[in-house]
Amino acid sequence: MIAPVLPSYSRAPLSFVSGEGAWLVEADGRRFLDFGAGIAVSALGHAHPALVEALTAQAGKLWHTSNLYTVPEQQALAERLVEHTFADTVFFCNSGTEAGELAVKMARKYWHDAGQPERTTILTFEGSFHGRSLAMISAAGSEKLTKGFGPLLPGFDHLPFGDHDALRAAAARPDVGAIMVEPVQGEGGIRPLPDVCLKGLRDLCDEHGLLLIFDEIQCGMGRTGRLFAHEWAGITPDIMMVAKGIGGGFPLGALLATERAAAGMTPGTHGSTYGGNPLGCAVGCAVMDAMTEAGFLEEVARRARLLRQKAEGLVASHPDIFEGVRGSGFMLGLRCNVPNIDVVNAGYGQEILTVPGGDNVVRLLPPLILSEDEIAEGIARLDAAATTLEDTARDAAQ
Ligand SMILES: *Cc1c(COP(=O)(O)O)cnc(C)c1O
């Protein structure tokens, strides 16, 4: 008999009833150090006082009106995002996938209005992940996401990761209108695009007049030590998808855009019943206020360097288990020499949570408030997990 909850996830036998900072607690009191943050969502940790305050204060005042009216919390969050990014305008939705859907609509409308409606193709990259709607699985294109769900949406062309010649040739085609890319691939296994590639993408888009769409749903909101990962490269996109960390655990997504890219999105062209509702936007404002407080991101970058250094040490002392570390900030990937899920499961035994990723990587995506002591504790637990795997392998060989 099928389970009452659709079994579309293979779930670990863990269940949490409360959380505080970087810790999650099971009903029996077992405390887990959370190096996954709900897949980069709980960026400020669990039960952050400012977020709890923002949500409860708003919950006592007003939950929902409609986008038929002005929503003050939505205005306030849009102003913060515009102030701190390249963007001139923001649309709010409830998830990353929805932000991606609007990114595609916006790019198509842009070229429609520019008198070149044939420019419908969006270039994407192998190993990318943009969400689970039909458009977003079509965008990413991998068999893992799409098998059994055809017919897929036309209008995406998937390029090999790191093949500059293929990219150059594709960008020159008359049917291409935009490039969509994660500055750091998340689900694909923490694969960062070097700054020089991000700059190259910007130049290529400028050369052909294409729109550059960044998916910063996982790598944005402070995760790399800047508010958004592309800031390290000193360039900006035309359109950017944001979600996960922006709501700190409350479902919230946003599509940010320049005035030029968004010009076609006039009244009636897009909408969402819940998008930008007062609860989500009140929390989003609290998240933005915490992250843009003087020194916050510098401190994230500083502690992230410590995590990186300790992760390098961990990898070096377990060469049979780990191959290397990649990524930046609080977004690291440990490439494994054993199945990554074995490492994640061994971590559960040591009461530390990590997240498996593509390319046989274990992802470390801790909350940005992780302390130096918690960094040391987390690495010690991963070290113990790796040791248990080594012991098991040795026993099996005997
Ligand atoms: C999680 C994620 C998405 C999808 O976001 P949802 O909120 O699950 O719809 C899209 N792109 C990237 C890079 C992600 O990490």
Side-chain angles (χ1 to χ4, degrees), residues 321-357:
I321 308 294
F322 299 114
E323 186 203 277
V325 186
R326 62 197 191 198
S328 70
F330 277 163
M331 187 175 190
L332 297 184
L334 309 179
R335 187 124 199 284
C336 298
N337 289 322
V338 296
N340 58 353
I341 193 66
D342 293 354
V343 177
V344 171
N345 286 334
Y348 296 152
Q350 304 300 322
E351 293 165 0
I352 178 154
L353 307 177
T354 58
V355 186

Side-chain angles (χ1 to χ4, degrees), residues 290-303:
M291 287 194 184
T292 55
E293 202 168 283
F296 178 87
L297 290 170
E298 289 79 1
E299 179 58 20
V300 170
R302 189 186 67 77
R303 277 180 280 111

Side-chain angles (χ1 to χ4, degrees), residues 95-98 129-131 182 186-187 215 217-218 241 243-244:
S95 69
T97 302
E98 288 167 81
F129 180 82
H130 300 298
E182 295 160 83
E187 303 301 308
D215 179 346
I217 290 168
Q218 193 161 144
M241 294 139 70
K244 294 204 164 98

